[in-house]
Amino acid sequence: MNALTRKTSNLRPVQKAAVLMMIFGTGTASAILKSLTPETVQTLGQEMYGLRDIDHATINAVLDEFFERLADETDIGHGTNSYVQTVFREALGEDRAQSVLSRISNSTLDRPIELLDWMDPSAIAELIVDEHPQIMALVIASLDPTRAANVLRVLPDDLQPNIIERIATLNTVQPDALAELERVMNLKFKANTTLRASQIGGVKTAARILNNAKRQMEQRILKDIRKADKDLMEALQDNMFVFENLGRSDDRSLQTLLRAIEPDQLALALKTADDELRDRLLSCLSTRASAAIIDELEALGPVRVATVEEAQKQIIIIAREMADAGTITLAGRGGEAMVS
């Protein structure tokens, strides 16, 4: 562990981000906040308010780490389109980025009702629970996968499989359907959606939502869908990605992914991993980093299974975002096929 890592190792990633936000100044910080999700804005704001007794050496170390990572990840010269898409997706997330890119690069995907991002999941669920399941599916499919999973969790259990099934079979949504969706949303607020055929939902969207759901909820929904449509259930499974699948990805992709994962999060996620997967992931780290993870694993005492599963899920979310941005390639269940 070098001096830089030692100086910032006691800070969580969100605390480092809070330090940077205080350094950037009000103009830049405000611009950054506008591009973040509501949950991230709240979490980051709390950390900014909570900054106390940060010495100059730690501030400098955070800034140095920021520039070091920035230098590692800069990708100038590899194609303008790919670079712009990657930057937008990493900054805004897959769905919001597609909405912006559609206006500047003739993409086909629009995200209606973006103001839903600022509503509490329970409020969204309350708004749509009495609507037709197709309306519920449209609303949930338009959300980012994490928020969609949280809304789905609040809705009655008996509705969840039907909603996922409808999302999985959505494809092109015609203007009249979007007009009906606008009618429902106007009960809560006024939106400004361009009424044209839009790409919403599909098997991949439904799979991402399930990837962000609790494992018990995921298994129950898939079991119910299997009773009605076994092929659809298998298609959903094929487009899902679980922690155990990481070992099938190539070295370069894993190395890129692991650089984006905090060591303590990786150690926690490996707590229940089998030897093969653990060795595979550790082999993609430097000798020093691998030894540090092993030491941290040995130091971990009893940990709740739910805590480990949450750490694994967060890593998969990061992996999915990087794969969607074209930064890495995921192989295996739900990933890309590899050829030699």
Side-chain angles (χ1 to χ4, degrees):
M1 182 180 295
N2 58 37
L4 173 63
T5 305
R6 282 198 301 271
K7 204 65 185 175
T8 61
S9 61
N10 61 325
L11 296 179
R12 291 176 287 111
V14 69
Q15 290 176 312
K16 297 176 186 178
V19 171
L20 291 173
M21 291 289 282
M22 301 299 285
I23 294 173
F24 288 156
T26 57
T28 301
S30 298
I32 292 172
L33 286 176
K34 290 177 182 178
S35 70
L36 301 177
T37 64
E39 292 87 350
T40 304
V41 169
Q42 181 175 340
T43 302
L44 187 56
Q46 290 172 340
E47 293 296 340
M48 291 169 68
Y49 266 113
L51 284 177
R52 296 289 187 275
D53 302 324
I54 301 292
D55 57 68
H56 287 291
T58 301
I59 293 173
N60 288 335
V62 170
L63 197 55
D64 287 342
E65 182 180 336
F66 171 72
F67 283 124
E68 184 179 283
R69 292 196 177 191
L70 187 64
D72 289 341
E73 294 177 12
T74 299
D75 194 30
I76 296 174
H78 290 276
T80 301
N81 290 344
S82 175
Y83 178 78
V84 171
Q85 291 173 10
T86 297
V87 169
F88 272 68
R89 285 167 177 159
E90 291 186 355
L92 306 179
E94 174 69 17
D95 294 333
R96 291 180 67 188
Q98 287 286 9
S99 180
V100 175
L101 290 169
S102 69
R103 299 185 182 98
I104 62 177
S105 63
N106 297 321
S107 297
T108 59
L109 176 61
D110 282 327
R111 277 204 64 225
I113 55 176
E114 187 171 331
L115 286 177
L116 283 175
D117 285 342
W118 298 90
M119 291 177 62
D120 185 79
S122 60
I124 299 174
E126 184 178 351
L127 179 68
I128 64 175
V129 67
D130 293 327
E131 295 298 327
H132 190 278
Q134 191 71 2
I135 294 294
M136 288 190 273
L138 281 169
V139 170
I140 293 174
S142 73
L143 302 173
D144 70 86
T146 301
R147 177 169 289 270
N150 288 332
V151 173
L152 187 66
R153 177 178 55 81
V154 179
L155 291 171
D157 289 357
D158 59 333
L159 292 177
Q160 294 168 359
N162 187 6
I163 292 171
I164 286 293
E165 186 173 354
R166 288 175 182 272
I167 291 174
T169 54
L170 281 172
N171 196 346
T172 299
V173 182
Q174 297 301 322
D176 57 344
L178 288 180
E180 177 64 9
L181 184 59
E182 285 295 301
R183 182 195 67 77
V184 174
M185 293 301 99
N186 280 332
L187 296 174
K188 194 73 175 180
F189 54 77
K190 289 184 178 181
N192 182 20
T193 301
T194 301
L195 298 183
R196 64 176 183 177
S198 299
Q199 188 76 25
I200 298 178
V203 171
K204 289 186 177 180
T205 298
R208 286 196 183 102
I209 293 172
L210 287 178
N211 265 333
N212 284 273
K214 296 293 184 182
R215 185 167 298 183
Q216 184 177 5
M217 175 178 165
E218 167 201 315
Q219 292 174 344
R220 174 173 51 77
I221 290 174
L222 287 175
K223 182 179 179 181
D224 285 350
I225 291 177
R226 186 181 190 280
K227 296 175 182 176
D229 191 335
K230 183 179 178 181
D231 290 340
L232 177 59
M233 184 273 292
E234 291 176 350
L236 286 168
Q237 285 186 325
D238 287 342
N239 281 275
M240 292 176 68
F241 196 89
V242 295
F243 187 73
E244 289 73 15
N245 298 140
L246 282 177
R248 302 175 189 171
S249 297
D250 64 280
D251 287 355
R252 185 175 181 181
S253 292
L254 288 179
Q255 290 164 1
T256 302
L257 170 63
L258 294 177
R259 282 199 296 269
I261 306 299
E262 292 297 316
D264 56 344
Q265 186 180 40
L266 178 58
L268 186 59
L270 290 175
K271 182 73 173 176
T272 59
D274 59 37
D275 291 342
E276 182 179 357
L277 176 59
R278 184 180 304 181
D279 292 344
R280 177 77 179 91
L281 296 182
L282 292 179
S283 71
C284 293
L285 296 171
S286 67
T287 303
R288 180 178 297 180
S290 177
I293 295 295
I294 292 173
D295 289 343
E296 191 155 353
L297 266 170
E298 292 176 349
L300 280 175
V303 180
R304 294 175 57 193
V305 173
T307 303
V308 176
E309 290 180 348
E310 180 60 27
Q312 294 177 348
K313 186 175 289 292
Q314 291 306 313
I315 290 175
I316 289 304
I317 290 173
I318 294 172
R320 272 293 192 187
E321 290 174 349
M322 295 178 76
D324 289 341
T327 309
I328 64 174
T329 299
L330 296 178
R333 179 183 172 202
E336 302 292 335
M338 302 296 293
V339 294
S340 57

